[in-house]
Amino acid sequence: MTAQLIHGRPVQQGLVAAALAKTSSAGVLPRVALLSVASDDPMLAINRELHMRTFAAYGVEGIDVALPADATLDALLERIHEANDDQSVHGVMVLMPLPSRLSIRDILPAIDPRKELEGLHPEHTAGLLPSNRPAPTGVLPLVGEAVILALAEYGIPLESRNIVLLTEEPLMRSNPVANVVARCVAPAMLPPSSPLAIVPIDHPQARRLASAADVLIVSLERPEVVSAEWVKPGATVIDFNPSLVGFVEREDGTQAPILRGGIATEDVASVAGHILPVPGGIGPVMLGVLIRNAALAALASRTP
Ligand SMILES: Nc1nc(=O)c2c([nH]1)NC[C@@H]1CN(c3ccc(C(=O)N[C@@H](CCC(=O)O)C(=O)O)cc3)C=[N+]21
């Protein structure tokens, strides 16, 4: 078997084109403040550049608010408040990873919920609980929505499927958002008919559990560790979390990063049915949902 590759780029283009058609007929141009705190992690600069480049490609204005590595919580909160108060800014996003001394608990609630684009503000996540009514302009957690949209686009069902999230302990500990999205948000968004296991890759049963998955979602910081033996024949495999494995020179002499996800794509393709690969799979869908959410926030800002 050779897996069919699922391309995220057309899904991104469809989502963004529909949303930007509405903003342009309303005469509004979405503007997004992208905040980040400098770090040694080379993926931060790569992701920051990718976000800015993707905004620009669609004519969305990105405001690159880059703080130094030693920025205090107060300094970051001040920049968030500035963006909240700026009527010309419709979306505010704080890029991960953050230095460990800055807690996401202090940061996400500081973003104006009308401008929070990833569905992670407490007002948005509270809408996942049955006791709470979703906010009228509620935003769904972006990662979950991206997976659901991408699979729906290709007619891959989630109902009654055995779903496994293959994670890793260091990432879940260092990135509380990744941990909570796996353990709280994903179970809340997936169909009740589907068994779901969250499996750290170093667990003794990891390979057995992964190879029982109809839908295997891989979120690892180590590149290319999941091989064909981890995958059930015909399964759908979604590769998250690009890692930097090297650089190639572009024609203009600048360096382009070479990115790989947690799966060895070619090997896995010999058994899987469908793969959302790195690059070109779920990442572009997530960026599409992000830009669509910015467009919706821009539209909502015009109706008092
Ligand atoms: N607050 C926050 N929210 C995030 O959603 C968030 C974040 N912080 N920090 C970093 C990670 C990573 N992330 C990516 C999204 C798209 C691609 C993506 O589309 N990548 C292209 C890659 C390559 C390219 O075109 O250069 C692809 O997979 O095809 C990658 C990575 C979002 N993240």
Side-chain angles (χ1 to χ4, degrees):
M1 184 181 304
T2 303
Q4 186 190 341
L5 292 183
I6 293 186
H7 301 290
R9 191 52 74 95
V11 184
Q12 175 186 89
Q13 283 164 348
L15 282 164
V16 174
L20 291 185
K22 290 185 206 156
T23 49
S24 77
S25 64
V28 52
L29 178 74
R31 289 184 87 223
V32 177
L34 182 69
L35 282 69
S36 58
V37 177
S39 121
D40 293 340
D41 183 344
M43 285 308 297
L44 182 77
I46 290 169
N47 281 321
R48 185 176 137 221
E49 202 232 328
L50 173 68
H51 280 72
M52 293 300 294
R53 189 160 26 92
T54 310
F55 294 152
Y58 287 110
V60 166
E61 195 175 338
I63 307 153
D64 187 11
V65 183
L67 284 84
D70 62 356
T72 61
L73 174 63
D74 282 347
L76 179 56
L77 291 176
E78 196 181 312
R79 305 311 295 266
I80 292 174
H81 293 139
E82 278 170 23
N84 284 344
D85 294 342
D86 184 338
Q87 298 296 315
S88 76
V89 171
H90 309 106
V92 181
M93 172 175 173
V94 180
L95 206 57
M96 303 280 146
L98 285 167
S100 56
R101 73 199 142 73
L102 300 179
S103 167
I104 201 70
R105 287 188 198 280
D106 298 317
I107 292 160
L108 277 168
I111 301 174
D112 183 331
R114 292 167 299 183
K115 300 189 180 189
E116 199 274 316
L117 302 177
E118 300 185 272
L120 293 174
H121 186 280
E123 205 170 283
H124 299 313
T125 51
L128 294 174
L129 296 176
S131 53
N132 296 331
R133 214 170 286 283
T137 54
V139 180
L140 282 171
L142 177 147
V143 177
E145 197 184 0
V147 167
I148 288 167
L149 284 173
L151 296 186
E153 188 86 9
Y154 284 82
I156 297 168
L158 279 167
E159 288 286 350
S160 305
R161 295 300 138 128
N162 191 15
I163 300 168
V164 175
L165 275 171
L166 193 59
T167 66
E168 75 191 328
E169 207 180 312
L171 174 63
M172 295 296 129
R173 286 191 196 278
S174 68
N175 185 340
V177 174
N179 188 45
V180 167
V181 166
R183 290 181 184 274
C184 304
V185 172
M189 293 182 77
L190 290 169
S193 59
S194 301
L196 169 67
I198 296 136
V199 179
I201 190 162
D202 291 317
H203 189 274
Q205 313 261 5
R207 200 163 115 182
R208 183 179 64 76
L209 290 165
S211 59
D214 301 307
V215 177
L216 180 63
I217 304 175
V218 178
S219 181
L220 302 176
E221 278 183 325
R222 285 172 277 170
E224 305 188 287
V225 293
V226 173
S227 55
E229 303 86 74
W230 290 72
V231 178
K232 177 175 167 175
T236 299
V237 184
I238 305 176
D239 204 3
F240 266 91
N241 232 34
S243 312
L244 182 64
V245 298
F247 289 94
V248 281
E249 197 161 310
R250 295 191 181 101
E251 273 179 19
D252 65 3
T254 59
Q255 299 284 302
I258 304 172
L259 303 173
R260 294 283 180 274
I263 73 166
T265 308
E266 248 181 66
D267 192 42
V268 166
S270 65
V271 291
H274 293 87
I275 299 179
L276 279 100
V278 167
I282 197 69
V285 182
M286 293 199 296
L287 281 169
V289 174
L290 183 72
I291 295 173
R292 182 209 61 187
N293 288 350
L296 293 177
L299 283 173
S301 73
R302 300 177 40 99
T303 35

